[in-house]
Amino acid sequence: MIKIVKVPLQLEPFLDKFRDLFTKPSYGSFRDLCGALSVCDKSKTVSNLCDTMADCSKGKKSRSSYNWFFSDANWDENEVAQRKVDLFIDSLCLKENDKLLLIIDDTYNEKEGNQTDGVGKFYDHSKEAYIWGNNFVTSVVQSKGLFIPHKAKMYIKNDDENENFKTKMEISMLDTDCITVLTARGITEILNSGGSQAWRLDATHVAKLPYLVCVQNSKKDWGSQEAKHHHAFMIGKISGVSRAPE
């Protein structure tokens, strides 16, 4: 295993742009972990990252301190993610009409045991089979042929013990100012009817969002599909939310 004795000099100026988002001790942990991430050739667990830091590394903390950084330290992961996007946009010198894409998808991490939070049986479409593991809703930001990882949230199946259950679409909405719906209706029918319907949702919450993204569901034997399955085909500005007729 490669050992790191200090944070690479090339990283220092970049990491310093996040300094104001942390307390002084937490920034030290953030800097150490980022430095270890740059050279760690094993799975990126706290244990492996800590082992990547040489014992002579200045300021190296105990493993429990780095665990505490993730579990109890006072910092906001959303602020860190947003700062990273801001720096990405600045580095590309994006202008008003340049495209910036937020790509949301889910991915799986296969497991063998049942001790990991959120582990369960999920259908992996890439393998066309059920797998045992964790399911994460992930997002990346892309522009000018370059992309950076943005956020990741674990999807946990609905059960009586999970009071804060969210569907994958609801998790994806946490990163955007829109609601995404999977619909069997095509763009022509939606435009002719004047809206997308009918959905079981929190009307008060949706009414606060500015946009609706329609994703095609071509697996239904009804509807008027015009786009490929799971392809987003329309973004509409929400003018209002009303109760669908019974």
Side-chain angles (χ1 to χ4, degrees):
M1 175 188 289
I2 299 174
K3 295 280 187 175
I4 187 171
V5 297
K6 65 179 298 185
V7 176
L9 293 176
Q10 298 91 328
L11 273 180
E12 286 280 10
F14 175 74
L15 296 178
D16 194 58
K17 298 181 184 296
F18 295 83
R19 186 185 293 270
D20 63 302
L21 302 180
F22 301 96
T23 63
K24 186 176 180 179
S26 290
Y27 177 72
S29 297
F30 171 75
R31 183 194 57 214
D32 293 346
L33 291 166
C34 287
L37 276 169
S38 68
V39 299
C40 182
D41 56 0
K42 294 185 176 182
S43 59
K44 308 306 187 287
T45 63
V46 173
S47 177
N48 286 338
L49 292 176
C50 192
D51 289 343
T52 302
M53 305 174 203
D55 291 336
C56 62
S57 178
K58 183 178 179 181
K60 179 181 178 180
K61 303 176 182 180
S62 65
R63 185 185 305 173
S64 61
S65 294
Y66 295 116
N67 281 326
W68 186 87
F69 169 77
F70 285 114
S71 62
D72 296 302
N74 185 23
W75 60 281
D76 188 332
E77 62 184 85
N78 293 316
E79 289 183 349
V80 174
Q82 186 59 52
R83 179 66 56 84
K84 184 174 59 177
V85 172
D86 293 341
L87 293 171
F88 179 69
I89 292 173
D90 290 343
S91 67
L92 293 180
C93 301
L94 296 183
K95 298 178 181 179
E96 184 176 348
N97 294 324
D98 290 334
K99 289 185 178 179
L100 183 70
L101 304 178
L102 176 65
I103 303 171
I104 299 172
D105 200 357
D106 63 342
T107 187
Y108 300 94
N109 184 21
E110 290 195 56
K111 298 287 185 179
E112 293 182 355
N114 57 6
Q115 300 302 310
T116 306
D117 289 344
V119 71
K121 187 178 180 181
F122 298 96
Y123 187 79
D124 187 344
H125 292 275
S126 65
K127 296 183 177 181
E128 296 185 344
Y130 283 95
I131 61 100
W132 183 261
N134 293 111
N135 187 199
F136 293 90
V137 179
T138 63
S139 60
V140 299
V141 176
Q142 178 179 342
S143 185
K144 294 186 176 181
L146 300 174
F147 74 90
I148 58 170
H150 186 42
K151 295 182 181 180
K153 297 287 185 183
M154 183 186 294
Y155 170 76
I156 301 177
K157 290 187 174 183
N158 193 13
D159 57 44
D160 293 336
E161 298 179 0
N162 184 13
E163 297 179 356
N164 298 316
F165 171 76
K166 288 182 174 61
T167 65
K168 293 179 185 179
M169 284 191 177
E170 287 172 331
I171 293 174
S172 69
M173 285 167 55
L174 297 175
D175 290 341
T176 62
D177 288 330
C178 68
I179 178 172
T180 304
V181 297
L182 188 64
T183 177
R185 293 179 170 86
I187 187 170
T188 302
E189 182 178 356
I190 290 174
L191 293 176
N192 288 338
S193 63
S196 179
Q197 58 178 314
W199 310 107
R200 182 179 297 174
L201 43 75
D202 184 342
T204 303
H205 172 68
V206 173
K208 298 177 182 177
L209 299 174
Y211 299 107
L212 168 80
V213 178
C214 293
V215 178
Q216 195 72 85
N217 182 359
S218 298
K219 299 298 184 180
K220 297 290 186 181
D221 56 3
W222 59 272
S224 53
Q225 303 94 337
E226 298 177 50
K228 293 181 180 180
H229 184 59
H230 275 184
H231 280 225
F233 63 90
M234 189 182 79
I235 300 177
K237 191 169 184 178
I238 297 175
S239 61
V241 180
S242 59
R243 180 179 293 275
E246 295 296 337

